[in-house]
């Protein structure tokens, strides 16, 4: 082996701690991309594959009832590719366990074969047989939640009559990846399921023979979706059309999309930020590491090694660290990616979902790290080789010290001799001190981002479930009921308070812009449901006019005071006007609120309600549920407590695990950088510190000198890191905002404290390691040889 | 005493009107002022002068470690001042061996490997073992610098410098960091190498007594050559006292 290679191997070994920690920084950067971004990309591609394989529709058109003959009219709309129709109804399920009553949505399948559009994927058991009217396929999540398997029977109440059906299979479909029960915001698999049955039974049972109450179409690539929707609405209007809507508004897709969006933070954006930070840190650390070798570079040059050879030699340090880190990162990333896709898999019902790392992603992550490392190394090697060897080799000129600004303004007396030395050292190399601080600050910043994700999710959960939805139980009525039902409800067991509500689907139009929403009619002085903005403040329900989400206002380009056209899409289907009396910041995005009285007069249907919110006595919940089950008018019973549970449970699996992964990567990066910085400053200052020891400084004094410098750098870095972290959190929040998804820009004090604490711990631990090395210095050797 | 030039001696390196100016902010330091210098093949030249007189600067320039502000340096018929950085590197690689006051060994390499670092990139070098034997270190080949005394380290540095069989051996205060006894040992190694290998050698020192061991003594002061003496005989290193 050539001596120069021996030197490389030996010095790599000598620097193994530093090489390893740099490798870990690389590994974390690559791993965060390979794991998180890789999983996210796999998720998105599984979604696309699933949609195309199940021929997921582009536009849905629910209506009251239309004859099948109308299909040909729909097919004739320009831009429509394929049309399919079906019959669908809500029904009560008679499950003989106590607990929350369950609901089922019946969805018809053709008498023969699979649906043309919106097909299902059978997971267990089989598809329904031709001419077997009692067979039903149920949604997989519901089956799992309720322990149904093919072969079981299920009792349902269709149109008031009880019936038993044979479960022949379980299935999933992109339309019902998330089965959200009416009145709920989130899927609750234990009390809401999808039941697919032949049109043969659903048609007659619901008086839909030869008719349909839902149509959907796919579009040709050149279609104008808005025009198609208009055309469909025109055709279906006489048949009680409830307003066609595009895929973007389909509930399950909407949730899937918003979940994908929310995973975009952890899956797409933050890993890239982390990679970027890792790359930049590599640049700094390797640059500095190689700068400490400037004497050796000069010797090698003096003996005739060319710049290229010297450069290549020192670049190898970078290359080895990056390759090592890259390999660890790739292997670890593949491993974690597989695990993480398992988390997604529990959460997302995407049949083709498996972890697939695209070579281009790996290549991208790898080359970013290589570029950062080589860039830092090249810059440092260049600086070193540009010096004439004679210059580089002479023992570094005694630094010229002068009183720095701090002392000039007369604060010097505040510091002892040691303090002054520390300060002068930092002031002597302001650029280097700044970059050292910046490196630590970036570590603080990514930790801040890691904790920020928890903050924003917690805030959202708290706002939604503790501030906005304060009722214990939400009831949804099968049909609208007169408002006096509140008195009946008041008499149910354990009910302490009743507030009724009215919800109405409507289309808001302003100029040429329009958006379908659900208008929520609320009691003006309600205590169970209130309008609450993103800051947690209650907005009083106005006596007239609409209060809408700011996102909705943006979409319609309206502001407070504008008058919008309101087309009610149910009942009398009134078309009137309403003034926007308030725009609120909230997270749900497309909410529209009114006082219930105003909504009554707007719709021309006074004194009717869609459901009620109840405050109940916690001890008598079971009695109440049992009683409610007997009330045919009530189809949906939801409790925010169960919603919260399932929401948090799902979050825990999804985003929080992702955030945990990222936080782990952030910690590794932070520790790696801080440890390296301490080690490098030790080797930069080794001779000087040893000389101080020779002159009679105590170990402790020397340690304070070195570590004090690190401490100042770290303390300066923390607020800087907070600032950078805060800025990055803002960028993340802003870049994620979509129509349906936005995350609160909330950075809790706790996040700042935790990220600073982690950094301080890392710094102290690195300091202790360095201190031990410093103590172990054999003075004579340090002075005899050059580092 | 001034001797007549010996006609059979070939000039291997000659510098003419060398100037070197360092700019230090407002202050300019004229480290070399119109220095002329000739090194003859096989000669041992001693450069004498007080600290700061410009000896290192001169040596670094003729060794291709630094470039002059003006003037010319010829190695045989090659003008060093016209060489590119790459060519200068090659000049050092093939023709020049350096010995420094602070040894400048690579601490992560053993004595043998420190020498190999140079022989690896040389044409027709000695083996590291031969070179180390020449400086009397056959027993210390696998020691790391930190396991060697200062004198031993300096001898490794000499072995490293001569292993490539350089045309010119340049030593900048090779004894500056050593005690008298060890310093003498190192000087006698240099003397012996110069005699055995006929390598043109230049030794920098501020120690007047050492001048006696050279064929030529050049005295510098404030960046100028103030005296050039050719010794008739070279004093044996053992007899030098300081
Ligand atoms: N890099 C430099 N920058 C500024 N001045 C220098 C530099 N190197 C040497 N000098 C100055 O040039 C003069 C000659 O230095 P040098 O050749 O090292 O002297 P010597 O080796 O004889 O002690 C000194 O005054 C020294 O201060
Ligand atoms: Mg000198």
């Amino acid at each position: 082996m050539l001596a120069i290679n021996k030197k490389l191997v030996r010095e790599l070994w000598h620097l193994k701690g530093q090489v390893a920690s740099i490798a870990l920084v690389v590994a974390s950067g690559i791993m965060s991309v390979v794991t998180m971004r890789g999983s996210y990309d796999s998720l998105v591609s599984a979604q696309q594959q699933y949609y195309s394989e199940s021929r997921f529709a582009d536009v849905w058109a629910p209506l009251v009832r239309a004859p099948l003959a109308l299909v040909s009219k729909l097919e004739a709309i320009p831009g429509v590719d394929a049309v399919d129709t079906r019959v669908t109804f809500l029904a009560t399920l008679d499950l003989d366990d106590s607990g929350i009553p369950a609901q089922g949505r019946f969805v018809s399948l053709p008498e023969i074969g699979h649906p043309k559009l919106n097909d299902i994927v059978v997971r267990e058991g089989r598809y329904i047989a031709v001419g077997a009217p009692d067979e039903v396929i149920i949604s997989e999540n519901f089956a799992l939640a309720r322990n149904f398997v093919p072969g079981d029977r299920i009792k349902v109440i269709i149109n008031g009559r009880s019936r038993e059906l044979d479960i022949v299979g379980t299935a999933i479909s992109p339309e019902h990846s998330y089965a959200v029960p009416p009145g709920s915001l989130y899927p609750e698999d234990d009390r809401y399921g999808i039941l697919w049955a032949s049109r043969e039974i659903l048609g007659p049972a619901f008086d839909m023979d030869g008719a349909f109450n839902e149509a959907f179409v796919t579009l040709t690539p050149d279609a104008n979706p808005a025009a198609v929707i208009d055309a469909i609405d025109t055709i279906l209007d006489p048949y009680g059309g409830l307003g066609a809507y595009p895929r973007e508004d389909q509930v399950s897709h909407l949730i899937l999309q918003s979940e994908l969006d929310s995973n975009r933070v952890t899956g797409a954006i933050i890993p890239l930020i982390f990679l970027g930070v890792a790359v930049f840190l590599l640049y700094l650390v390797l640059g500095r590491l190689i700068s400490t070798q400037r004497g050796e570079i000069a010797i090698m040059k003096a003996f005739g090694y060319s710049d290229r050879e010297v450069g290549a030699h020192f670049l190898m340090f970078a290359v080895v660290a990056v390759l090592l880190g890259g390999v660890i990162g790739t292997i670890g990333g593949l491993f974690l990616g597989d695990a993480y896709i398992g988390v997604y898999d529990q959460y997302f019902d995407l049949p083709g979902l498996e972890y697939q790392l695209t070579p281009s992603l790996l290549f991208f992550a790898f080359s970013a790290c290589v570029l950062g490392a080589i860039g830092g190394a090249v810059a440092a090697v260049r600086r070193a080789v540009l010096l004439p060897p004679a210059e580089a080799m002479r023992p570094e000129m005694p630094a010229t010290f002068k009183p720095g600004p701090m002392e000039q303004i007369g604060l010097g007396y505040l510091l002892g001799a040691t303090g002054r030395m520390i300060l002068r050292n930092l002031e002597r190399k302001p650029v280097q001190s700044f970059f050292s601080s910046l490196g630590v600050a970036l570590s603080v910043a990514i930790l801040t981002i890691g904790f920020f994700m928890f903050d924003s999710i917690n805030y959202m959960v708290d706002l939604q479930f503790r501030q906005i939805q304060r009722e214990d139980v939400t009831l949804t009525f099968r049909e609208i009921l007169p408002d006096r039902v509140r008195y009946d409800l008041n008499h149910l067991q354990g009910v302490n308070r009743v507030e009724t509500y009215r919800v109405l689907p409507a289309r808001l139009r302003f100029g040429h812009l329009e958006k379908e929403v659900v208008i929520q009619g609320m009691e003006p002085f309600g205590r169970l449901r209130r309008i609450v903005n993103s800051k947690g403040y209650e907005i009083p329900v106005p006596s007239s006019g609409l209060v809408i989400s700011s996102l909705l206002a943006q979409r319609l380009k309206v502001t407070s005071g504008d008058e919008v056209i309101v087309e009610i899409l149910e009942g009398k289907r009134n078309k009137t006007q309403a003034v926007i009396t308030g725009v609120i910041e909230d997270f749900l995005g497309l909410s529209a609120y009114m006082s219930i009285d105003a909504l009554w007069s707007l719709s021309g249907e006074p004194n009717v309600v869609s459901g009620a919110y109840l405050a109940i006595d916690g001890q008598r919940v079971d009695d109440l549920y049992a009683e409610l089950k007997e009330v045919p008018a009530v189809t949906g019973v939801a409790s925010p407590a169960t919603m919260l549970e399932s929401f948090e449970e799902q979050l825990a699996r999804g985003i929080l695990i992702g955030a945990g992964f990222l936080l782990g990567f952030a910690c590794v990066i932070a520790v790696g950088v801080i440890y390296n910085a301490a080690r490098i400053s030790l080797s930069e200052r080794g001779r000087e510190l040893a000389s101080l020891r020779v002159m009679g400084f105590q170990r402790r004094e020397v340690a304070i000198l070195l570590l004090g410098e690190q401490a100042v750098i770290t303390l300066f870095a923390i607020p800087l890191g907070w600032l950078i972290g805060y800025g990055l959190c803002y960028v993340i929040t802003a870049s994620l905002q979509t129509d349906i998804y936005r995350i609160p820009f909330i950075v809790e004090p706790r996040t700042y404290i935790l990220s600073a604490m982690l950094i301080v711990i890392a710094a102290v631990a690195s300091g202790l390691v360095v201190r031990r090395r410093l103590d172990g210095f054999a003075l004579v050797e340090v002075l005899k040889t050059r580092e | 005493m001034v001797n007549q030039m010996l006609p059979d001696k070939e000039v291997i390196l000659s510098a003419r009107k060398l100037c070197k100016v360092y700019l230090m902010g407002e202050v300019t330091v004229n480290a070399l002022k119109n220095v002329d210098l000739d090194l003859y093949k096989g000669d041992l030249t001693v450069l004498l002068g007080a600290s700061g007189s410009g000896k290192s600067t001169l040596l670094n320039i003729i060794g291709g470690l630094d470039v002059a502000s003006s003037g010319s340096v010829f190695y045989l018929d090659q003008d060093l001042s016209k060489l590119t950085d790459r060519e200068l590197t090659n000049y050092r690689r093939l023709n020049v061996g350096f010995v420094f006051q602070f040894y400048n060994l690579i601490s992560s390499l053993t004595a043998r490997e420190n020498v190999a670092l140079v022989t690896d990139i040389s044409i027709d070098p000695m083996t590291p073992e031969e070179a180390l034997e020449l400086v009397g270190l056959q027993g210390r080949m696998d020691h790391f610098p930190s396991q060697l005394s200062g004198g031993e380290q300096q001898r490794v540095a000499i072995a490293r410098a001569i292993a490539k069989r350089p045309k010119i051996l340049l030593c900048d205060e090779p004894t500056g960091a050593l005690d008298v006894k060890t310093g003498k040992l190192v000087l006698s190694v240099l003397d012996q190498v110069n005699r055995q290998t006929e390598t043109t050698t230049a030794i920098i020192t501020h120690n007047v007594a050492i001048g006696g061991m050279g064929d030529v003594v050049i005295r510098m002061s404030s960046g100028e050559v103030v005296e050039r003496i050719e010794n008739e005989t070279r004093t044996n290193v053992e007899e030098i006292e300081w």
Side-chain angles (χ1 to χ4, degrees):
Chain A
M1 187 166 18
L2 291 181
I4 192 169
N5 293 336
K6 273 189 201 153
K7 170 178 181 309
L8 179 69
V9 170
R10 217 163 275 152
E11 285 173 8
L12 278 172
W13 181 247
H14 179 67
L15 294 174
K16 56 187 176 296
Q18 276 166 274
V19 171
S21 61
I22 292 173
L24 281 180
V25 171
V26 175
S28 297
I30 289 186
M31 236 192 278
S32 74
V33 167
V34 167
T35 305
M36 307 306 288
R37 183 63 189 255
S39 304
Y40 177 74
D41 288 350
S42 305
L43 194 62
V44 171
S45 88
Q47 177 203 24
Q48 279 159 7
Q49 191 192 335
Y50 187 28
Y51 279 9
S52 85
E53 278 172 7
S54 61
R55 301 180 298 283
F56 196 41
D58 291 316
V59 175
W60 276 255
L63 62 152
V64 175
R65 187 181 197 280
L68 281 171
L70 210 61
V71 169
S72 55
K73 268 193 164 173
L74 293 174
E75 279 170 339
I77 298 172
V80 167
D81 189 28
V83 178
D84 201 0
T85 66
R86 67 186 175 194
V87 175
T88 171
F89 281 102
L90 269 181
T92 303
L93 304 180
D94 191 6
L95 308 176
D96 38 30
D97 42 7
S98 57
I100 305 172
Q103 271 186 295
R105 169 163 293 279
F106 274 99
V107 174
S108 73
L109 294 171
E111 282 153 36
I112 301 169
H114 282 256
K116 221 175 351 167
L117 302 179
N118 289 337
D119 198 1
I120 63 174
V121 179
V122 175
R123 301 281 272 207
E124 251 185 82
R126 60 168 173 81
Y127 198 72
I128 54 170
V130 178
D134 283 343
E135 290 187 356
V136 68
I137 298 173
I138 65 173
S139 51
E140 186 181 44
N141 285 339
F142 181 63
L144 290 174
R146 287 289 190 155
N147 291 320
F148 281 118
V149 289
D152 288 348
R153 313 200 72 189
I154 184 169
K155 234 200 262 172
V156 301
I157 297 158
I158 301 179
N159 256 350
R161 283 182 42 220
S162 181
R163 251 181 109 156
E164 260 195 306
L165 299 175
D166 293 320
I167 299 173
V168 297
T170 65
I172 54 174
S173 104
E175 263 185 305
H176 303 290
S177 291
Y178 297 92
V180 180
S184 180
L185 282 166
Y186 302 100
E188 287 164 74
D189 292 324
D190 56 340
R191 45 172 233 94
Y192 184 68
I194 310 300
L195 297 89
W196 287 277
S198 170
R199 203 156 182 156
E200 231 176 313
I201 64 166
L202 294 184
F206 291 105
D207 188 23
M208 281 283 174
D209 258 343
F212 63 92
N213 67 355
E214 193 171 26
F216 27 83
V217 307
T218 51
L219 301 176
T220 54
D222 58 344
N224 170 0
V228 172
I229 287 171
D230 273 349
I232 294 175
D233 282 345
T234 313
I235 292 172
L236 295 183
D237 201 48
Y239 302 94
L242 297 170
Y245 56 87
R247 184 191 282 180
E248 293 79 69
D249 292 348
Q250 201 270 334
V251 175
S252 179
H253 168 82
L254 200 77
I255 298 181
L256 178 61
Q257 203 54 52
S258 89
E259 288 307 327
L260 287 178
D261 284 348
S262 69
N263 279 288
R264 224 158 63 84
V265 204
T266 51
I269 296 178
I270 295 180
L272 289 185
I273 293 180
F274 280 20
L275 183 66
V277 168
V279 166
F280 183 67
L281 292 175
L282 275 178
Y283 178 87
L284 289 185
V285 165
L286 274 167
R288 234 181 123 191
L289 183 62
I290 286 171
S291 295
T292 62
Q293 309 286 312
R294 114 193 174 130
E296 288 203 350
I297 291 176
I299 298 168
M300 291 177 63
K301 279 192 69 181
F303 285 106
Y305 278 89
S306 67
D307 288 357
R308 219 175 40 81
E309 287 163 320
V310 173
H313 173 66
F314 286 96
L315 278 186
M316 283 308 286
F317 285 91
V319 169
V320 167
V322 167
L323 282 187
L324 189 65
V327 169
I328 297 173
T330 308
I331 294 174
L334 289 173
F335 188 72
L336 288 180
D338 228 34
Y340 194 62
I341 212 80
V343 174
Y344 277 154
D345 198 31
Q346 287 186 7
Y347 189 34
F348 294 103
D349 278 327
L350 296 173
L353 181 60
E354 58 182 64
Y355 181 75
Q356 276 169 328
L357 177 63
T358 52
S360 60
L361 182 65
L362 185 59
F363 178 77
F364 167 75
F366 233 97
S367 19
C369 287
V370 168
L371 274 182
I374 304 267
V378 165
V381 170
R382 263 182 68 85
R383 278 198 302 275
V385 297
L386 278 181
L387 280 180
E391 186 122 343
M393 218 165 3
R394 74 170 56 227
E396 244 191 287
M397 286 257 226
T400 47
F401 282 104
K402 55 172 195 270
M406 172 110 178
E407 286 167 82
Q408 278 167 5
I409 59 173
L411 289 178
Y413 70 91
L414 288 177
L415 309 154
T418 324
R420 271 201 295 277
M421 279 171 87
I422 291 173
L423 201 67
R424 285 181 195 170
N425 254 318
L426 290 168
E427 285 172 348
R428 179 164 63 102
K429 296 182 176 170
V431 177
Q432 195 194 315
S433 303
F434 173 74
F435 275 106
S436 305
S437 251
L438 186 61
V440 179
L442 284 174
S443 310
V444 176
I446 55 179
L447 285 174
T448 306
I449 295 173
F451 287 117
F452 156 72
M453 286 186 287
F454 289 93
D455 288 347
S456 81
I457 292 162
N458 284 339
Y459 182 82
M460 211 150 55
V461 168
D462 180 72
L463 191 68
Q464 189 59 41
F465 295 105
R466 298 196 182 89
Q467 308 293 327
I468 299 176
Q469 294 176 237
R470 306 209 293 188
E471 74 276 11
D472 298 314
V473 174
T474 316
L475 297 185
T476 315
F477 303 146
R478 175 193 306 279
E479 295 160 331
I480 48 173
L481 294 178
D483 189 36
R484 59 172 190 279
V485 72
R486 59 167 61 233
Y487 305 110
D488 303 330
L489 292 171
N490 234 331
H491 288 119
L492 290 177
Q493 303 215 26
V495 172
N496 292 335
R497 186 180 171 88
V498 178
E499 287 173 16
T500 53
Y501 65 89
R502 175 77 171 119
V503 292
L504 269 174
R507 184 179 290 136
L508 303 186
R509 211 190 280 274
F510 186 71
H512 65 286
L513 296 169
E514 59 176 48
K515 183 70 196 156
E516 264 137 49
V517 297
V518 174
I519 301 179
Q520 306 184 43
M522 344 231 318
E523 286 194 12
F525 300 101
R527 293 211 323 247
L528 300 180
R529 267 306 160 104
R530 303 169 306 157
I531 307 177
V532 177
N533 72 8
S534 59
K535 298 221 157 54
Y537 298 130
E538 180 175 352
I539 309 294
V541 178
S543 53
S544 69
L546 279 163
V547 173
I548 63 172
S549 303
S550 59
L551 276 176
L552 182 56
Q554 277 170 31
R555 255 214 176 178
L556 292 173
K557 297 207 162 66
V558 294
T559 53
S560 235
D562 286 337
E563 198 174 60
V564 294
I565 295 169
V566 182
E567 285 177 54
I568 305 287
L569 298 174
E570 227 179 79
K572 292 191 179 161
R573 305 174 73 83
N574 270 359
K575 202 165 170 176
T576 57
Q577 277 134 23
V579 177
I580 305 293
T581 46
V583 174
I584 63 159
E585 294 288 337
D586 65 358
F587 298 117
L588 291 177
L590 297 174
S591 308
Y593 307 96
M594 271 189 125
S595 92
I596 193 164
D597 303 279
L599 187 56
W600 279 334
S601 67
L602 204 66
S603 63
E605 293 175 298
N607 299 319
V608 290
V609 295
S610 314
Y613 305 118
L614 309 181
I616 60 171
D617 177 350
Q619 318 235 286
R620 296 162 71 184
V621 183
D622 293 340
D623 296 342
L624 177 68
Y625 281 165
E627 233 180 313
L628 281 173
K629 218 169 126 186
E630 302 302 316
V631 182
V634 174
T635 56
V637 181
S639 79
T642 54
M643 278 191 232
L644 181 56
E645 252 168 48
S646 65
F647 181 66
E648 280 187 331
E649 186 182 298
Q650 304 197 27
L651 270 176
R653 289 210 205 104
I655 310 165
L656 293 185
I657 293 181
F661 272 51
L662 289 170
L663 195 56
F665 295 139
C667 287
V668 175
I669 291 175
V671 170
V673 167
I674 289 177
Y675 172 72
N676 246 295
R679 283 294 305 275
I680 290 171
S681 65
L682 177 62
S683 62
E684 282 169 352
R685 308 278 306 283
R687 282 175 77 81
E688 185 187 326
L689 296 177
S691 318
L692 289 174
R693 290 272 289 116
V694 171
M695 289 187 290
F697 275 68
Q698 298 294 340
R699 289 207 160 120
R700 210 177 53 82
E701 291 165 329
V702 172
I704 286 176
L705 212 56
L706 179 67
L707 299 181
E709 218 176 294
Q710 292 298 306
V712 173
I713 285 175
T714 308
L715 289 184
F716 179 73
I718 286 173
L720 182 63
W722 285 341
L723 214 67
I724 298 173
Y726 186 81
L728 286 175
C729 290
Y730 178 78
V731 170
I732 290 167
T733 314
S735 71
L736 272 174
Q737 182 168 326
T738 67
D739 261 8
I740 51 168
Y741 187 78
R742 57 153 63 167
I743 55 173
F745 180 49
I746 296 286
V747 189
E748 297 282 350
R750 193 194 57 182
T751 289
Y752 295 122
I753 294 168
L754 283 177
S755 52
M757 244 166 60
L758 270 172
I759 291 296
V760 168
I761 290 172
V764 168
S766 311
L768 287 178
V769 173
V770 167
R771 167 87 207 256
R772 268 196 29 212
R773 297 208 140 238
L774 201 57
D775 287 351
F777 259 12
L779 291 185
V780 195
E781 276 176 33
V782 175
L783 292 178
K784 210 159 69 173
T785 61
R786 293 172 59 104
E787 271 280 319
Chain B
M1 70 180 113
V2 181
N3 262 16
Q4 204 180 336
M5 249 191 248
L6 293 174
D8 58 329
K9 282 206 171 169
E10 179 193 348
V11 175
I12 189 164
L13 191 129
S14 82
R16 289 291 173 270
K17 290 190 181 308
L18 275 190
C19 293
K20 178 74 182 180
V21 183
Y22 290 111
L23 299 170
M24 308 242 307
E26 332 263 276
V27 197
T28 59
V29 179
N30 288 303
L32 294 179
K33 305 170 196 159
N34 288 319
V35 169
D36 293 344
L37 175 82
D38 289 308
L39 294 184
Y40 293 92
K41 187 161 188 206
D43 264 10
L44 194 151
T45 305
V46 175
L47 272 166
L48 270 176
S51 181
S53 56
K55 308 180 298 290
S56 296
T57 306
L58 177 59
L59 195 81
N60 289 337
I61 291 173
I62 63 178
L65 285 180
D66 208 347
V67 285
S69 306
S70 66
S72 64
V73 185
F74 277 86
Y75 168 73
L76 300 176
D77 50 5
Q78 206 172 20
D79 187 352
L80 296 190
S81 57
K82 297 234 157 62
L83 296 187
T84 62
D85 187 62
R86 196 187 176 78
E87 290 162 333
L88 264 186
T89 301
N90 267 329
Y91 163 68
R92 293 198 302 269
R93 184 175 193 144
L94 300 176
N95 305 313
V96 189
F98 286 102
V99 177
F100 302 103
Q101 179 177 1
F102 294 105
Y103 334 133
N104 283 328
L105 299 179
I106 305 281
S107 57
S108 63
L109 295 178
T110 61
R112 190 201 306 265
E113 290 158 356
N114 261 290
V115 179
L117 188 67
V118 171
T119 58
D120 280 343
I121 58 164
S122 310
I123 299 164
D124 183 34
M126 304 176 197
T127 63
E129 291 76 12
E130 277 176 80
L132 284 165
E133 219 162 298
L134 262 178
V135 299
L137 279 181
Q138 51 276 29
R140 291 276 193 279
M141 299 217 202
D142 294 316
H143 285 56
F144 283 94
S146 59
Q147 298 166 327
L148 297 170
S149 72
E152 286 168 334
Q153 285 190 59
Q154 191 60 299
R155 282 189 281 158
V156 174
I158 294 171
R160 182 173 66 174
I162 59 170
K164 67 164 87 155
R165 304 185 205 279
K167 305 297 180 299
I168 309 174
L169 180 60
L170 302 176
C171 313
D172 191 347
E173 310 226 18
T175 61
L178 302 173
D179 61 85
V180 176
K181 198 161 155 264
T182 324
K184 274 188 175 182
L185 186 63
V186 165
L187 288 179
S188 63
V189 168
L190 286 172
D191 184 64
Q192 170 207 339
V193 167
N194 170 260
R195 288 175 199 277
Q196 277 180 15
T197 60
E198 299 195 340
T199 308
T200 310
T201 305
I203 299 176
I204 283 183
T205 179
H206 56 261
N207 188 336
V208 184
I210 293 175
M213 72 177 282
D215 296 299
V216 180
V217 179
I218 291 171
R219 268 194 359 148
M220 293 188 66
S221 174
S222 308
E224 287 172 304
V225 173
V226 292
E227 192 177 10
R228 181 189 152 93
I229 303 164
E230 300 204 4
N231 291 334
E232 232 162 326
T233 49
R234 284 163 60 168
T235 317
N236 199 328
V237 175
E238 266 75 64
E239 292 158 20
I240 298 175
E241 290 301 336
W242 72 84

